[in-house]
Amino acid sequence: MRTRRWVRACARVAVLSAVLTVLAVQGAGPPRPAPATAVWALPDPVDAVGPVDPAVPAVARHWPVGTRPLVLRGWEPPATPYGPGHRGVDLAADGGAPVRAVAAGRVSFAGPVAGRGVVSVELTGTGEPPLRTTYAPVAAAVRKGDEVAAGQLLGTVEPTGPHCTACLHWGLLRGEVYLNPLSLLPPWLLNAGPSRLLPVLGVPLPGRAEISPARRAAPWRPPPP
Protein backbone atom coordinates (compact mmCIF):
# COMPACT_ATOMS: atom_id res chain seq x y z
CA MET A 1 0.00 0.00 0.00
CA ARG A 2 2.76 2.37 0.96
CA THR A 3 4.63 1.46 -2.23
CA ARG A 4 1.63 2.40 -4.42
CA ARG A 5 1.25 5.79 -2.71
CA TRP A 6 4.94 6.49 -3.15
CA VAL A 7 4.78 5.60 -6.89
CA ARG A 8 1.74 7.86 -7.38
CA ALA A 9 3.48 10.75 -5.60
CA CYS A 10 6.57 10.36 -7.78
CA ALA A 11 4.40 10.32 -10.92
CA ARG A 12 2.64 13.54 -9.90
CA VAL A 13 5.99 15.25 -9.26
CA ALA A 14 7.27 14.12 -12.67
CA VAL A 15 4.14 15.44 -14.45
CA LEU A 16 4.30 18.79 -12.62
CA SER A 17 7.98 19.17 -13.50
CA ALA A 18 7.28 18.49 -17.17
CA VAL A 19 4.44 21.07 -17.25
CA LEU A 20 6.65 23.74 -15.67
CA THR A 21 9.40 23.04 -18.19
CA VAL A 22 7.01 23.43 -21.14
CA LEU A 23 5.62 26.70 -19.76
CA ALA A 24 9.11 28.08 -19.27
CA VAL A 25 10.10 27.27 -22.85
CA GLN A 26 6.93 28.83 -24.28
CA GLY A 27 7.34 31.94 -22.16
CA ALA A 28 10.87 32.53 -23.37
CA GLY A 29 9.99 32.04 -27.02
CA PRO A 30 12.36 32.50 -29.96
CA PRO A 31 14.52 35.68 -29.99
CA ARG A 32 12.77 38.55 -31.76
CA PRO A 33 14.66 40.47 -34.45
CA ALA A 34 15.44 44.12 -33.82
CA PRO A 35 13.07 46.52 -35.59
CA ALA A 36 14.22 47.84 -38.94
CA THR A 37 15.09 51.50 -39.31
CA ALA A 38 13.40 53.87 -41.66
CA VAL A 39 15.05 55.54 -44.62
CA TRP A 40 13.23 58.80 -43.92
CA ALA A 41 13.54 61.26 -41.05
CA LEU A 42 11.72 64.09 -39.34
CA PRO A 43 13.19 67.58 -38.88
CA ASP A 44 14.03 68.91 -35.47
CA PRO A 45 11.89 71.79 -34.16
CA VAL A 46 13.10 75.34 -34.75
CA ASP A 47 15.40 76.53 -31.99
CA ALA A 48 14.61 80.22 -32.58
CA VAL A 49 13.80 82.45 -29.62
CA GLY A 50 11.71 85.42 -30.67
CA PRO A 51 9.14 85.97 -33.43
CA VAL A 52 10.07 85.77 -37.09
CA ASP A 53 9.30 89.10 -38.78
CA PRO A 54 7.03 88.56 -41.83
CA ALA A 55 8.06 91.99 -43.17
CA VAL A 56 11.64 90.76 -43.72
CA PRO A 57 12.06 89.01 -47.11
CA ALA A 58 13.31 85.43 -46.82
CA VAL A 59 16.24 85.96 -49.18
CA ALA A 60 18.79 83.76 -47.38
CA ARG A 61 20.04 80.66 -49.17
CA HIS A 62 22.54 79.49 -46.54
CA TRP A 63 23.06 79.47 -42.80
CA PRO A 64 26.05 81.61 -41.81
CA VAL A 65 27.78 78.56 -40.33
CA GLY A 66 27.21 74.85 -40.87
CA THR A 67 24.06 73.38 -42.35
CA ARG A 68 21.77 73.66 -39.32
CA PRO A 69 23.65 75.09 -36.32
CA LEU A 70 22.21 75.05 -32.83
CA VAL A 71 20.78 78.40 -31.73
CA LEU A 72 22.47 78.99 -28.39
CA ARG A 73 20.64 82.24 -27.71
CA GLY A 74 17.79 83.73 -29.69
CA TRP A 75 16.74 87.23 -30.61
CA GLU A 76 15.52 89.27 -27.63
CA PRO A 77 14.67 92.80 -28.79
CA PRO A 78 15.18 95.45 -26.12
CA ALA A 79 12.18 97.45 -24.93
CA THR A 80 14.09 100.72 -25.50
CA PRO A 81 16.92 101.63 -27.89
CA TYR A 82 19.50 101.39 -25.11
CA GLY A 83 17.76 98.80 -22.95
CA PRO A 84 18.97 95.25 -22.19
CA GLY A 85 18.32 92.49 -24.69
CA HIS A 86 20.00 90.44 -27.40
CA ARG A 87 20.23 92.15 -30.77
CA GLY A 88 20.77 89.04 -32.87
CA VAL A 89 21.18 85.27 -32.45
CA ASP A 90 24.15 83.21 -31.28
CA LEU A 91 24.86 80.13 -33.40
CA ALA A 92 27.09 77.29 -32.17
CA ALA A 93 30.35 77.35 -34.14
CA ASP A 94 33.88 76.23 -33.33
CA GLY A 95 36.84 78.50 -33.83
CA GLY A 96 38.07 78.39 -37.41
CA ALA A 97 34.65 77.40 -38.83
CA PRO A 98 33.92 79.06 -42.19
CA VAL A 99 31.43 81.94 -42.15
CA ARG A 100 29.44 82.43 -45.37
CA ALA A 101 27.16 85.13 -46.71
CA VAL A 102 23.53 84.12 -46.28
CA ALA A 103 22.53 86.07 -49.40
CA ALA A 104 24.08 88.16 -52.16
CA GLY A 105 25.23 91.68 -51.30
CA ARG A 106 28.08 94.09 -50.80
CA VAL A 107 30.50 94.17 -47.87
CA SER A 108 29.88 97.46 -46.02
CA PHE A 109 32.39 96.84 -43.22
CA ALA A 110 35.16 94.37 -42.39
CA GLY A 111 37.42 94.96 -39.41
CA PRO A 112 37.74 95.03 -35.62
CA VAL A 113 35.11 96.57 -33.36
CA ALA A 114 35.62 96.65 -29.59
CA GLY A 115 38.25 93.92 -29.78
CA ARG A 116 36.44 91.51 -32.09
CA GLY A 117 36.32 91.07 -35.85
CA VAL A 118 33.08 92.12 -37.54
CA VAL A 119 31.85 91.70 -41.12
CA SER A 120 28.73 93.50 -42.36
CA VAL A 121 27.00 92.85 -45.68
CA GLU A 122 24.27 94.98 -47.28
CA LEU A 123 21.83 92.59 -48.96
CA THR A 124 20.96 93.21 -52.60
CA GLY A 125 17.35 94.03 -53.49
CA THR A 126 16.06 94.44 -49.93
CA GLY A 127 14.78 98.02 -50.11
CA GLU A 128 16.04 101.39 -48.93
CA PRO A 129 17.82 101.47 -46.62
CA PRO A 130 18.90 97.90 -47.44
CA LEU A 131 18.93 95.13 -44.91
CA ARG A 132 22.37 94.66 -43.37
CA THR A 133 23.64 91.43 -41.82
CA THR A 134 26.50 91.38 -39.30
CA TYR A 135 28.76 88.51 -38.28
CA ALA A 136 31.11 88.41 -35.26
CA PRO A 137 33.67 87.43 -34.10
CA VAL A 138 35.08 86.82 -37.57
CA ALA A 139 38.58 86.92 -39.01
CA ALA A 140 37.60 88.58 -42.29
CA ALA A 141 38.59 87.19 -45.69
CA VAL A 142 36.84 90.06 -47.53
CA ARG A 143 37.22 93.82 -47.65
CA LYS A 144 34.81 96.75 -47.69
CA GLY A 145 33.24 97.15 -51.11
CA ASP A 146 33.56 93.50 -52.15
CA GLU A 147 30.54 92.02 -53.90
CA VAL A 148 29.65 88.60 -52.47
CA ALA A 149 27.30 85.85 -53.60
CA ALA A 150 25.10 83.70 -51.41
CA GLY A 151 27.28 81.08 -49.75
CA GLN A 152 30.54 82.92 -50.44
CA LEU A 153 33.21 82.75 -47.74
CA LEU A 154 33.41 85.89 -45.59
CA GLY A 155 36.00 84.64 -43.11
CA THR A 156 36.36 82.24 -40.19
CA VAL A 157 35.05 82.25 -36.64
CA GLU A 158 37.62 83.63 -34.20
CA PRO A 159 38.30 81.09 -31.40
CA THR A 160 37.19 83.37 -28.55
CA GLY A 161 35.55 86.71 -28.10
CA PRO A 162 34.11 89.01 -25.44
CA HIS A 163 30.52 88.18 -26.45
CA CYS A 164 30.55 84.38 -26.46
CA THR A 165 32.82 81.35 -26.77
CA ALA A 166 32.46 78.80 -29.60
CA CYS A 167 29.66 80.72 -31.26
CA LEU A 168 28.91 83.19 -34.03
CA HIS A 169 26.78 86.25 -33.32
CA TRP A 170 24.55 86.94 -36.32
CA GLY A 171 22.63 90.20 -36.51
CA LEU A 172 20.26 92.00 -38.90
CA LEU A 173 19.48 95.70 -39.20
CA ARG A 174 17.54 98.05 -41.42
CA GLY A 175 19.10 101.43 -40.83
CA GLU A 176 19.47 101.58 -37.04
CA VAL A 177 16.60 99.20 -36.29
CA TYR A 178 17.53 95.68 -35.18
CA LEU A 179 15.52 92.77 -36.59
CA ASN A 180 15.48 89.01 -36.10
CA PRO A 181 18.05 87.55 -38.55
CA LEU A 182 16.23 84.21 -38.58
CA SER A 183 13.50 86.01 -40.55
CA LEU A 184 15.85 85.91 -43.55
CA LEU A 185 15.65 82.11 -43.70
CA PRO A 186 12.88 80.54 -45.81
CA PRO A 187 10.89 77.72 -44.15
CA TRP A 188 12.69 74.96 -46.06
CA LEU A 189 16.01 76.20 -44.67
CA LEU A 190 14.84 77.26 -41.22
CA ASN A 191 13.10 73.95 -40.47
CA ALA A 192 15.69 71.65 -42.03
CA GLY A 193 17.30 69.57 -39.28
CA PRO A 194 19.64 66.69 -38.83
CA SER A 195 18.33 63.25 -39.84
CA ARG A 196 16.78 61.11 -37.13
CA LEU A 197 16.11 57.45 -37.99
CA LEU A 198 12.78 56.10 -36.80
CA PRO A 199 11.63 52.48 -36.30
CA VAL A 200 9.29 50.96 -38.87
CA LEU A 201 7.38 47.86 -37.84
CA GLY A 202 6.84 45.01 -40.27
CA VAL A 203 9.83 45.78 -42.50
CA PRO A 204 12.10 42.74 -42.97
CA LEU A 205 15.72 43.03 -41.92
CA PRO A 206 18.46 42.71 -44.57
CA GLY A 207 19.32 39.13 -45.41
CA ARG A 208 15.89 37.62 -44.70
CA ALA A 209 14.31 35.36 -47.31
CA GLU A 210 10.93 37.07 -47.42
CA ILE A 211 10.18 40.43 -48.96
CA SER A 212 7.39 41.12 -46.48
CA PRO A 213 6.02 39.47 -43.31
CA ALA A 214 3.12 37.95 -45.28
CA ARG A 215 4.59 37.02 -48.66
CA ARG A 216 7.72 35.06 -49.48
CA ALA A 217 9.90 35.91 -52.44
CA ALA A 218 9.30 33.61 -55.42
CA PRO A 219 12.33 31.97 -57.03
CA TRP A 220 13.55 33.64 -60.20
CA ARG A 221 12.61 31.98 -63.49
CA PRO A 222 13.77 32.98 -66.97
CA PRO A 223 11.11 34.60 -69.18
CA PRO A 224 9.38 32.36 -71.71
CA PRO A 225 10.91 32.31 -75.20
Side-chain angles (χ1 to χ4, degrees):
M1 188 69 177
R2 292 180 180 179
T3 301
R4 293 180 180 177
R5 292 178 181 176
W6 181 82
V7 172
R8 292 176 181 174
C10 291
R12 291 172 182 173
V13 171
V15 172
L16 179 60
S17 177
V19 171
L20 292 177
T21 301
V22 171
L23 292 178
V25 172
Q26 291 180 348
R32 297 181 179 180
T37 54
V39 296
W40 50 276
L42 292 178
D44 284 346
V46 176
D47 300 316
V49 177
V52 174
D53 190 345
V56 175
V59 296
R61 293 298 175 264
H62 294 270
W63 282 87
V65 287
T67 55
R68 179 61 172 86
L70 178 66
V71 179
L72 300 178
R73 184 179 178 186
W75 185 64
E76 302 168 15
T80 61
Y82 300 100
H86 192 229
R87 297 164 174 82
V89 296
D90 291 342
L91 306 176
D94 295 328
V99 179
R100 303 187 182 278
V102 298
R106 182 181 63 86
V107 177
S108 58
F109 180 85
V113 175
R116 61 174 180 168
V118 177
V119 174
S120 296
V121 179
E122 292 182 350
L123 304 183
T124 303
T126 55
E128 187 62 36
L131 291 172
R132 184 171 76 256
T133 56
T134 60
Y135 312 86
V138 176
V142 292
R143 296 181 297 180
K144 180 179 178 180
D146 288 350
E147 298 288 337
V148 295
Q152 183 171 331
L153 181 69
L154 300 177
T156 56
V157 177
E158 293 179 338
T160 58
H163 178 75
C164 59
T165 301
C167 82
L168 175 76
H169 179 78
W170 179 30
L172 176 66
L173 299 93
R174 186 184 292 279
E176 300 301 322
V177 179
Y178 287 89
L179 303 169
N180 186 354
L182 294 177
S183 302
L184 292 171
L185 299 172
W188 62 267
L189 191 57
L190 182 64
N191 296 326
S195 298
R196 187 172 68 241
L197 296 179
L198 302 176
V200 176
L201 301 178
V203 177
L205 294 175
R208 293 178 62 92
E210 58 267 356
I211 60 175
S212 72
R215 178 181 178 185
R216 294 185 176 276
W220 180 86
R221 292 186 177 89

